[in-house]
Structures are given as C-alpha cells and as structure tokens.
Amino acid sequence: MIISPSVLSLHYDDFKNQLDALNESVEWLHFDVMDGNFVPNISFGPVIFSYFRKNSSLFMDVHLMVNDPEHYAMEFANKGAESITFHYENYNDPDECIKLIDKLHSLYLKAGISINPGTSVKDIEPLLNKVDLVLVMSVEPGFGGQKYIPSSTDKIKELDYYRKLYNLSYIIQVDGGINDQTAHEVLNAGCDCLVAGSYIFDGDIISNVNKLRSCK
Ligand code: DX5
Ligand code: ZN
C-alpha cells in the first residue's frame, strides 16, 4: 500500500515538524494543484512545491486540477516532480490525453490520468495501456474534508478488473474522503495508493498514517 498525503491539508504554521513526520512515515507526497478555474479553489504552485522538494526525498505526486495541464506539468517537472496526473475532463478526448501522456513520458515522468465522479472508467479505457496511474476522484475536486462518494468503489473494482484482463500494471489511486473507514473499502476493491488530507493532518500524522496502514 502506498500512502500519499495531500499537503493541501498540511498545517503550514508548523511546516518543518509536519514535513519531518511525513518524511519518516509515508512513501509519497500528493500535491493538489488548483488554478481557481478548472476547480473553484486556488492552492499552490511550483514555488511552494520547491520547498517540499528541497526538504524531502519522498516521491512527489502532482495532481493538476488546472485548465492548462501541459504548461503546469512542465513547471512542476522543472522543479523536480516525479509524477504528473491530469484530468480526462481537461480534454474529454483520448487522443489529446495520449499526446500529453507521451510528452510526460518523454521527460521521464510518470503519467497519471484522473477521472471526476461524473466520468466513467469506460471513457478512459483507451488510455489504460498508456498510463502509469489512474486517480479516481471520490469527491468533487476542489476542497479537502468532503465525504467519500460510495459509487467510487465500483470504479476501483472496474479498474482492477481491466488491469487483470489486459495484464497491465497501472497504479490505482483514490483521492477524497479517505479515512480509517473508507480505506478498508477501497483497498479491498483493488486500490493501491491512498490520498488522504484531512484525516492524516487532523491530529498526530504518524499515528493517523499507521491507522490507515492497518486497514489492509
Ligand atoms: C479535492 C482534493 C482532496 C484532497 C483530499 O480536490 O484533491 O480530495 O486531496 O482531501 P480529503 O482527504 O480531506 O478528502
Ligand atoms: Zn488530489
């Protein structure tokens, strides 16, 4: 199991201690990048990201919720991101998505595709043999602290089915409303990577991470 805390919910008034706790307890860091257009919220950009990069050797997992994912993918790649996930809804067109996936791979980046609650797994089937990661949004993107949308579980099961059927190896990641209850459900459905924000940062980080790990 990979745990990728969403630093959207990090307590920035205690940045160093929070990052120290993350560095000793998780594998990835998840950056929810929002431009105020693709989603009705603004988060952070490459400069804030660079402070994490300077102080952590964790795998940097960037989730772009922006109108121009190609531009910002390059910006974060230049600052040391290892993986870039963008939304199918940016293009709603597999061929356009494949162009960006190929560009990310040409820069030796991992490429992820994310689908919102209203988008089906069937829509991204043509991409499954191209991507390294599929991110199932289990809330409407834009804000932490929302409730898990139960229909997300069937999408995870469907992705796990296709992965076995086509003998593929993409990571299944879920993002939104993940806690020590919903983690059981998504892991049993075939999820490999948990993105959690409010659950992890609400209290002791290491203890909350360990509670998630015990959900498998
Ligand atoms: C929504 C964000 C959140 C965040 C996780 O756009 O992407 O899903 O990562 O927030 P929690 O874990 O608080 O639901
Ligand atoms: Zn995210």
Side-chain angles (χ1 to χ4, degrees):
M1 170 199 320
I2 300 167
I3 295 182
S4 189
S6 166
V7 298
L8 185 69
S9 304
L10 185 140
H11 297 182
Y12 286 86
D13 56 351
D14 192 22
F15 180 81
K16 176 145 181 16
N17 292 330
Q18 299 250 307
L19 189 52
D20 286 348
L22 293 171
N23 281 333
E24 64 177 84
S25 61
V26 297
E27 296 80 11
W28 291 13
L29 291 183
H30 186 83
F31 295 84
D32 283 311
V33 180
M34 304 176 185
D35 67 357
N37 292 295
F38 185 75
V39 292
N41 195 4
I42 292 176
S43 58
F44 36 65
V47 170
I48 299 298
F49 171 84
S50 66
Y51 285 98
F52 286 90
R53 180 73 289 171
K54 198 170 88 180
N55 294 288
S56 176
S57 56
L58 295 177
F59 184 89
M60 300 287 171
D61 162 33
V62 174
H63 172 197
L64 296 177
M65 291 166 272
V66 300
N67 274 353
D68 187 350
E70 184 172 354
H71 169 73
Y72 288 105
M74 298 308 120
E75 294 274 298
F76 281 90
N78 291 337
K79 296 285 186 189
E82 276 109 340
S83 182
I84 302 283
T85 297
F86 64 97
H87 273 256
Y88 176 74
E89 299 85 7
N90 276 120
Y91 304 105
N92 289 310
D93 175 333
D95 292 337
E96 287 302 312
C97 290
I98 290 169
K99 281 181 195 161
L100 183 48
I101 291 163
D102 288 347
K103 182 162 187 179
L104 295 172
H105 284 154
S106 73
L107 297 167
Y108 305 102
L109 293 162
K110 297 292 184 194
I113 193 78
S114 182
I115 48 175
N116 283 336
T119 301
S120 71
V121 168
K122 206 87 185 118
D123 290 328
I124 59 165
E125 198 180 343
L127 305 178
L128 294 181
N129 66 339
K130 306 278 184 192
V131 293
D132 305 289
L133 178 144
V134 179
L135 169 53
V136 176
M137 287 307 296
S138 41
V139 295
E140 287 301 334
F143 299 90
Q146 301 178 73
K147 270 181 77 55
Y148 177 82
I149 297 172
S151 59
S152 312
T153 307
D154 289 339
K155 289 185 179 179
I156 295 166
K157 286 178 182 169
E158 202 176 347
L159 285 164
D160 193 37
Y161 167 76
Y162 281 130
R163 185 165 56 179
K164 290 178 178 121
L165 179 70
Y166 299 132
N167 193 29
L168 297 172
S169 59
Y170 51 82
I171 289 171
I172 301 173
Q173 184 181 50
V174 67
D175 179 353
I178 297 303
N179 56 39
D180 56 353
Q181 304 303 313
T182 53
H184 284 286
E185 186 171 331
V186 300
L187 291 167
N188 289 334
C191 178
D192 311 293
C193 179
L194 303 176
V195 174
S198 44
Y199 180 76
I200 284 178
F201 291 102
D202 182 14
D204 182 80
I205 289 171
I206 294 175
S207 154
N208 293 337
V209 166
N210 291 334
K211 281 181 204 150
L212 287 182
R213 282 204 198 287
S214 67
C215 291
K216 182 69 183 167

